Amino acid sequence: MPVSRPAVSQHLKALKDAGLVADRQEGTRRVYFIDPHGLGALRRWLDQFWDKALAAFRAAVELSKSEQKEKDR
């Protein structure tokens, strides 16, 4: 990848600070992995927008059906 090691390190630190990844030391290296607790919190936060979007879509479809029924009468 055309990304410097310091840039990768900064990104991993930001992800770790946000609780999205965790790390463990293996010899002289650090191995990073997804933290399921942090990712779960992020998913719940994102799901609230998905739920709102689906609710808005449902309302639009129901309104469209209602309007179509009125035209058909």
Side-chain angles (χ1 to χ4, degrees):
M1 287 197 299
V3 180
S4 69
R5 281 182 171 264
V8 170
S9 180
Q10 288 175 346
H11 284 87
L12 288 170
K13 182 181 181 330
L15 291 171
K16 186 176 177 181
D17 290 347
L20 299 175
V21 299
D23 64 331
R24 69 175 176 270
Q25 190 159 353
E26 289 186 3
T28 59
R29 301 174 70 170
R30 287 208 149 320
V31 176
Y32 286 82
F33 53 94
I34 293 172
D35 183 343
H37 298 293
L39 197 58
L42 176 62
R43 180 164 182 190
R44 284 189 297 279
W45 183 77
L46 290 171
D47 281 348
Q48 72 180 339
F49 298 108
W50 183 243
D51 291 343
K52 288 177 186 176
L54 287 176
F57 179 72
R58 180 179 183 174
V61 169
E62 289 173 353
L63 179 63
S64 177
K65 282 183 182 179
S66 175
E67 290 173 347
Q68 187 61 42
K69 283 182 184 178
E70 289 297 319
K71 286 182 183 179
D72 291 343
R73 287 184 187 185

